Amino acid sequence: MPTWHSLPTEMKIAVVQLLPIDDVKRFSKASQGMYTLCLPITFKYVKLNNVEAMQAFLAHVPTAFYHYVHRLEVFTMGSLPTNAAPAEKAISPRTDALVSLLRDCTNLRQLSLKISGGLATHVIPYFSRLDNLKQLSISNEDSERDAPISERLVVSIAASVPNLEELTLDRISRSTLHAPDLINVYPLIPLVAGDDNIDDHPELGSALCLPSLLRIPSLKKLTIRDTHLGDSLWLTTPPACHLEAIDLSGCSYETDDVNSLFVERIISAIGPTVVEASLSTAILGAPFARPSSTPFKRLRKLTISPYFPIESVVDTMTNLSGSPIDTISVQCFADDVADIRSAVKDFLSLRIESGLEFHQNLTQINVSVAACDMKPGNGAEVIGIA
Ligand SMILES: *[C@@H]1O[C@H](CO)[C@@H](O)[C@H](O)[C@H]1NC(C)=O
Ligand SMILES: *[C@@H]1O[C@H](CO)[C@@H](O)[C@H](O)[C@H]1NC(C)=O
Ligand SMILES: *[C@@H]1O[C@H](CO)[C@@H](O)[C@H](O)[C@H]1NC(C)=O
């Protein structure tokens, strides 16, 4: 009988890869050899919930192990001083901790940054070395008025990642440089000033505004939430990417109608390649209802987010009848289930009345209850359509 120790290393690794992470941790304590064998799996996914955890990781984990990290989640909450405003690079202990991580985590595939206390600009160059990074998420966990994150900073970061495919941005602030039309105009949108020190990007130059994200050729999936989408350059920036999935929601400072207008403008520019879309704003424009004129020529999967105005669900699903949608997924909060059910019923009656051509590709409507933090909860219900 061959013993565990006589197995070739490749087979041992194959076994360890099948174990749940807690078992890997137990297994790795069995011997020095097992510890070494388990290292790539032990450090594959690292989650650091605050600045203190970041500092403990930096102090105790040898940098030689950092290249095992494929997926890193960081939350820069904690008692350290807030990063200084963009113009002053001097005080930025949180960003410094992040830089120390990124410098040696060169093998990252997925990176999620939940930023508290701002982010200083000297982090930017470290992103250009992350060749394997495909998914990047940056969210501001503080208020835009206290510790904003500038669009110039995130666009520069995203455009620096060599092969970025999926980008998620949450609560990013417009820059006074790119939004002069919003200065001292009602409603007052929080803007960032003093971010003109961010260097020009080799491809984008000084145009570090949100629409320039469309010039990242590798980008396939773009999610932007709780961010002002009113830049008119969204309409005229020629997309260099083929976006397959989008999830766009407006900002809380504008009305539903204005947010709808902004999102529709963006869709008119990037819609033709999109297969999956998640919406938080109604679609009002007439062109969407006709196959010949809809910008969503290939849309197959539509998700209605929990923040979508319920009274517009039927109209929007009707308005989108120019797209070959086959699955509609409606996410709602628990309190809204009854209203959503009756909206779906109204839509189904309308579909029967409207005849065969109307949403002819639709096979499934999936209603699910979302937890308050936007993650889909339990209780998904699938309504099949014959
Ligand atoms: C789109 O929805 C709006 C209401 O939100 C409605 O007034 C309009 O007629 C709809 N357009 C089409 C083309 O169905
Ligand atoms: C939608 O349905 C029509 C008619 O059944 C079909 O010709 C077309 O290919 C379908 N479109 C897609 C994208 O599946
Ligand atoms: C229904 O939607 C939820 C949330 O988007 C998803 O988790 C679930 O897999 C979907 N179910 C089906 C059968 O598509």
Side-chain angles (χ1 to χ4, degrees):
M1 276 292 278
T3 64
W4 169 259
H5 295 289
S6 66
L7 290 176
T9 308
E10 294 82 349
M11 283 182 84
K12 289 185 193 167
I13 292 175
V15 171
V16 174
Q17 276 172 341
L18 295 174
L19 296 176
I21 186 69
D22 287 336
D23 290 342
V24 174
K25 284 181 183 155
R26 259 176 247 133
F27 211 48
S28 72
K29 289 179 186 143
S31 69
Q32 181 66 46
M34 286 309 303
Y35 178 75
T36 311
L37 193 75
C38 291
L39 273 176
I41 299 164
T42 314
F43 286 100
K44 198 167 181 178
Y45 170 34
V46 171
K47 186 172 179 185
L48 303 170
N49 279 329
N50 48 48
V51 184
E52 290 74 21
M54 290 168 79
Q55 289 181 324
F57 188 90
L58 290 167
H60 301 296
V61 178
T63 46
F65 295 175
Y66 287 20
H67 74 275
Y68 294 129
V69 183
H70 284 188
R71 182 173 159 206
L72 178 62
E73 279 180 40
V74 170
F75 190 176
T76 65
M77 185 185 67
S79 52
L80 284 180
T82 293
N83 291 303
E88 312 146 38
K89 290 187 189 173
I91 323 158
S92 45
R94 293 155 194 260
T95 303
D96 293 345
L98 184 59
V99 162
S100 304
L101 278 172
L102 295 184
R103 193 177 46 220
D104 294 301
C105 288
T106 47
N107 218 354
L108 287 180
R109 267 74 164 161
Q110 294 177 38
L111 174 61
S112 162
L113 300 175
K114 291 169 140 190
I115 304 297
S116 173
L119 185 61
T121 56
H122 64 280
V123 73
I124 298 169
Y126 296 90
F127 285 86
S128 60
R129 301 144 40 124
L130 303 176
D131 286 328
N132 294 320
L133 187 64
K134 297 274 162 51
Q135 297 175 15
L136 173 63
S137 154
I138 304 177
S139 74
N140 187 4
E141 302 293 320
D142 281 332
S143 95
E144 283 184 79
R145 300 203 192 269
D146 298 339
I149 297 182
S150 151
E151 60 178 322
R152 293 176 56 76
L153 178 59
V154 294
V155 170
S156 183
I157 287 175
S160 301
V161 179
N163 299 299
L164 187 63
E165 291 181 1
E166 298 184 12
L167 177 65
T168 300
L169 300 176
D170 208 322
R171 200 177 295 154
I172 302 304
S173 306
R174 301 280 310 275
S175 164
T176 50
L177 282 183
H178 302 302
D181 52 317
L182 298 181
I183 299 172
N184 293 329
V185 172
Y186 185 81
L188 290 173
I189 311 292
L191 300 173
V192 185
D195 55 353
D196 48 352
N197 64 324
I198 296 177
D199 292 337
D200 285 0
H201 182 270
E203 312 283 322
L204 307 181
S206 60
L208 299 173
C209 51
L210 289 170
S212 293
L213 294 171
L214 301 181
R215 294 172 59 191
I216 302 175
S218 52
L219 203 59
K220 294 201 170 85
K221 183 170 178 185
L222 179 62
T223 300
I224 308 182
R225 299 203 182 104
D226 207 359
T227 296
H228 190 268
L229 297 173
D231 194 328
S232 59
L233 288 176
W234 282 110
L235 268 178
T236 51
T237 303
C241 56
H242 282 259
L243 284 178
E244 291 163 12
I246 55 167
D247 180 346
L248 303 172
S249 72
C251 75
S252 51
Y253 301 95
E254 296 281 12
T255 62
D256 283 353
D257 283 354
V258 171
N259 281 322
S260 280
L261 178 79
F262 290 162
V263 170
E264 283 185 26
R265 278 203 321 205
I266 298 178
I267 293 171
S268 70
I270 60 171
T273 54
V274 170
V275 179
E276 282 186 58
S278 176
L279 297 176
S280 306
T281 54
I283 295 287
L284 309 168
F288 288 89
R290 290 188 298 272
S292 54
S293 57
T294 180
F296 269 150
K297 290 229 167 358
R298 297 189 194 160
L299 185 65
R300 304 283 293 269
K301 298 201 176 352
L302 170 69
T303 300
I304 301 281
S305 101
Y307 296 102
F308 192 95
I310 296 177
E311 66 282 4
S312 302
V313 168
V314 178
D315 280 335
T316 292
M317 292 193 332
T318 308
N319 279 355
L320 285 173
S321 62
S323 303
I325 297 173
D326 57 40
T327 307
I328 300 179
S329 182
V330 187
Q331 297 172 354
C332 62
F333 294 119
D335 289 350
D336 299 331
V337 172
D339 291 343
I340 286 293
R341 277 175 152 274
S342 80
V344 170
K345 252 173 87 182
D346 291 348
F347 172 72
L348 290 177
S349 314
L350 187 71
R351 184 165 181 261
I352 291 168
E353 283 163 28
S354 305
L356 289 174
E357 303 264 288
F358 183 76
H359 275 298
Q360 57 184 333
N361 301 80
L362 187 62
T363 54
Q364 184 173 299
I365 300 178
N366 174 357
V367 179
S368 58
V369 178
C372 288
D373 58 358
M374 280 283 303
K375 295 203 181 64
N378 298 324
E381 174 184 349
V382 177
I383 303 176
I385 296 178

